[in-house]
């Protein structure tokens, strides 16, 4: 059996992002568990705002194809998203919109979402910890027929959640992240 590979996608490009820190901590937890974890930056896969006319004229951008293939090379995916105005940010939605348009030969459109489990997490300085963004993200991924694991992590008061080494300070937060990672690993192994 091939080694389990998990892709971690932080949905923020902001310097010092709480979500990027959470994604890094998740990748660290995966590595501690012996999992081949890859954390990418969406800055390396810059995409124009999705536009059907642009797609009809120029096709799907190369970065969308590359990102879809990166997702396809992994058995499970964790998306860590900020919350903007009670939903997901344009960066995350645009990434999903473009990747869902990539169709390689012998595939149905959006197959990359159907063939592997997704875990979702959010970090926010507010009390709700990004729960509204997680609800929106779960809805979008489910509409694409993705398997979204039941467990999710909404990290509240994220501006106070990390120590000087960008590790989670609170034991409950750390345990919640470990539980999310364990469930993603378990479901990914079953779907391999």
């Amino acid at each position: 059996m091939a080694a389990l590979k998990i892709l971690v996608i932080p949905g923020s490009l902001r310097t010092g992002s709480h979500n990027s820190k959470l994604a890094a901590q998740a990748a660290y937890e995966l590595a501690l568990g012996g999992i081949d974890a890859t954390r990418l930056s969406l800055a390396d896969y810059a995409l124009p705002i999705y536009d059907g006319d642009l797609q009809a004229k120029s096709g799907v951008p190369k970065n969308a194809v590359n990102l879809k293939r990166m997702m396809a090379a992994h058995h499970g995916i964790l998306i860590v998203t900020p919350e903007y105005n009670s939903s997901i940010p344009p960066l995350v939605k645009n990434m999903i919109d473009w990747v869902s348009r990539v169709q390689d030969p012998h595939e149905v459109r959006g197959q990359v979402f159907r063939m592997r489990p997704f875990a979702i997490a959010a970090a926010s300085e507010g009390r709700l910890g990004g729960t509204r963004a997680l609800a929106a993200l779960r809805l979008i991924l489910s509409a694409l027929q993705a398997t979204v694991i039941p467990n999710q992590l909404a990290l509240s008061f994220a501006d106070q959640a990390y120590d000087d080494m960008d590790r989670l300070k609170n034991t409950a937060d750390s345990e919640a992240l470990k539980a999310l990672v364990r469930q993603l690993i378990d479901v990914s192994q079953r779907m391999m």
Side-chain angles (χ1 to χ4, degrees), residues 3-188:
L4 187 67
K5 295 175 68 173
I6 303 289
L7 181 63
V8 180
I9 304 175
S12 177
L13 302 178
R14 185 175 58 80
T15 302
S17 162
H18 303 306
N19 288 278
S20 294
K21 290 178 186 179
L22 186 57
Q25 185 68 38
Y28 176 76
E29 291 296 336
L30 286 160
L32 284 179
I35 304 302
D36 183 356
T38 304
R39 181 169 45 107
L40 60 75
S41 171
L42 290 176
D44 295 330
Y45 298 89
L47 293 166
I49 296 296
Y50 179 76
D51 177 342
D53 290 337
L54 175 64
Q55 180 184 354
K57 179 180 173 186
S58 307
V60 176
K62 183 175 174 59
N63 277 342
V65 173
N66 291 341
L67 183 55
K68 181 263 180 189
R69 290 187 178 148
M70 175 66 87
M71 292 168 74
H74 290 79
H75 301 102
I77 298 170
L78 169 60
I79 299 176
V80 185
T81 184
E83 181 174 286
Y84 288 12
N85 298 316
S86 301
S87 191
I88 61 173
L91 179 67
V92 174
K93 179 68 165 78
N94 195 54
M95 177 262 303
I96 293 170
D97 289 344
W98 273 118
V99 169
S100 72
R101 280 14 183 230
V102 178
Q103 184 175 356
D104 284 325
H106 65 275
E107 280 187 350
V108 296
R109 198 175 96 184
Q111 184 171 326
V112 73
F113 292 97
R114 296 182 187 103
M115 303 303 292
R116 61 211 23 83
F118 284 76
I120 57 176
S124 169
E125 293 182 7
R127 179 175 50 86
L128 298 178
T131 55
R132 295 167 296 196
L134 293 176
L137 182 55
R138 184 177 293 277
L139 178 66
I140 292 164
L141 291 171
S142 295
L144 291 167
Q145 299 178 13
T147 298
V148 185
I149 67 170
N151 204 350
Q152 65 183 29
L153 174 60
L155 181 64
S156 303
F157 308 113
D159 55 325
Q160 303 162 37
Y162 302 98
D163 65 19
D164 293 341
M165 300 293 292
D166 289 337
R167 302 273 188 235
L168 291 170
K169 293 190 292 190
N170 185 301
T171 302
D173 293 337
S174 182
E175 290 303 315
L177 179 60
K178 288 175 184 176
L180 176 74
V181 164
R182 276 193 307 272
Q183 190 173 64
L184 179 58
I185 291 168
D186 291 345
V187 176
S188 298

